[in-house]
Amino acid sequence: MRSFELSLPRREGAVGIGPAALEFTTSGEFSVPKQLQEAGLAGYEPETVACFLAVLEHARAGAVLDIGANVGLYGLLAAARSHRPVFSFEPTPDLAETARNLAASNDLTMEVVQLAVSNHSGSAPLKLSANSDASNSLAAGFRPEFGRVQVEVDTLSHWRERAGAIPAVLKIDTETTEPDVIAGGLEVLRRFRPWVFCEVLPDRGVEERLMALLEPLDYSWHHLGDDPPCPRRNVIDGRGAGSHERMWLFAPTPPRDELWELTCGWRRALKACEA
């Protein structure tokens, strides 16, 4: 087992909300808790985490959906630093159970949905990665496998209709099937115009499919490896101009200066959250 305290940032000038830290107790084998224990939140996707926290303050009222949640870190952050409804989607059974336990043990309101979000409904084999539990995917051949588990699959649009949620912020990290998530949620993006954080891995055909889906929706694309303000890009490139950061912001309206100022404030706050 792995047990540690994860310090959370507080932006200067922000209204105080939520705990100063999260208590993590998880399997010692899980990769995300291992990274968090070694580097703290300051060393875990800080560009994305800072912008995510800024968008929680900036976006209109509505729910946060963390699709491909693993142990639920982004959902836990949303529950700890906002009053928004939070839904974390994770199909891997032991990871979903860990996310539920972390929310309960930290007294945070976060609903864990044990579901793989894609462009169809039914069931499918989830490929369990031999490299890392963070690389489990519906995509065949993405990583060397050590096993498979049959999981429930549904589209974002179908789930939203059943749940009655009004999405305002999405985070999508499903190991190369992100275009399938978008394709199954086009009605959600058209109707509710959520802010979308999306991982884009290179050399997997993801970029072209995302651009084809998003261009008719009039979203702007911003690589989060850039220093704020992150400029609008004409092309979605998984290589991210050489940056290690693979996350992109797909914005329903051109981001205003206020958003980038909030992002800078959260980046400064994150520097205090080392291991």
Side-chain angles (χ1 to χ4, degrees):
M1 297 298 292
R2 186 182 303 279
S3 185
F4 62 98
E5 183 180 87
L6 181 71
S7 296
L8 299 185
R10 290 193 183 278
R11 184 181 64 79
E12 184 178 356
V15 176
I17 180 175
L22 297 179
E23 297 294 335
F24 265 69
T25 299
T26 72
S27 167
E29 298 178 348
F30 292 159
S31 63
V32 172
K34 181 176 185 290
Q35 294 176 60
L36 291 171
Q37 184 178 28
E38 290 177 350
L41 200 57
Y44 185 85
E45 301 180 356
E47 297 91 345
T48 301
V49 169
C51 191
F52 178 78
L53 292 168
V55 167
L56 292 180
E57 293 189 85
H58 182 77
R60 59 158 178 76
V64 178
L65 278 57
D66 181 3
I67 300 172
N70 196 268
V71 298
L73 175 64
Y74 279 87
L76 293 168
L77 289 174
R81 289 293 179 265
S82 78
H83 293 298
R84 298 175 180 274
V86 179
F87 301 89
S88 291
F89 296 78
E90 176 51 54
T92 311
D94 53 354
L95 293 173
E97 183 63 23
T98 297
R100 288 191 192 96
N101 292 339
L102 287 172
S105 63
N106 286 282
D107 197 25
L108 294 174
T109 303
M110 178 181 82
E111 181 176 340
V112 177
V113 184
Q114 196 168 319
L115 178 72
V117 181
S118 189
N119 59 359
H120 64 282
S121 301
S123 65
L126 181 72
K127 290 75 174 177
L128 303 178
S129 170
N131 294 354
S132 165
D133 59 87
S135 297
N136 298 341
S137 178
L138 292 178
F142 172 57
R143 293 285 188 262
E145 299 176 26
F146 79 86
R148 298 186 176 191
V149 58
Q150 200 74 9
V151 298
E152 182 182 357
V153 180
D154 206 353
T155 68
L156 177 58
S157 293
H158 286 165
W159 175 87
R160 195 224 67 82
E161 186 176 359
R162 292 196 308 273
I166 300 176
V169 182
L170 307 183
K171 191 227 81 181
I172 307 172
D173 184 353
T174 56
E175 303 302 291
T176 75
T177 66
E178 292 82 7
D180 294 336
V181 176
I182 297 289
L186 287 175
E187 179 186 350
V188 172
L189 269 65
R190 289 192 192 102
R191 180 178 177 186
F192 298 104
R193 307 293 291 170
W195 295 76
V196 181
F197 293 84
C198 184
E199 182 181 58
V200 181
L201 295 176
D203 305 323
R204 300 284 176 175
V206 171
E207 300 100 325
E208 293 81 3
R209 294 182 61 201
L210 285 173
M211 288 188 287
L213 290 165
L214 291 170
E215 278 178 340
L217 301 179
D218 195 27
Y219 270 69
S220 61
W221 315 327
H222 307 263
H223 179 236
L224 294 178
D226 298 319
D227 290 330
C230 302
R232 181 171 185 162
R233 297 291 189 94
N234 294 324
V235 175
I236 298 174
D237 177 8
R239 295 190 179 277
S243 171
H244 66 283
E245 181 57 69
R246 302 301 187 191
M247 294 295 285
W248 286 65
L249 173 66
F250 302 148
T253 58
R256 301 195 302 267
D257 291 343
E258 174 193 356
L259 175 65
W260 301 125
E261 290 168 4
L262 290 171
T263 300
C264 290
W266 282 112
R267 281 201 182 187
R268 290 191 293 270
L270 278 169
K271 291 179 180 178
C273 297
E274 297 180 345

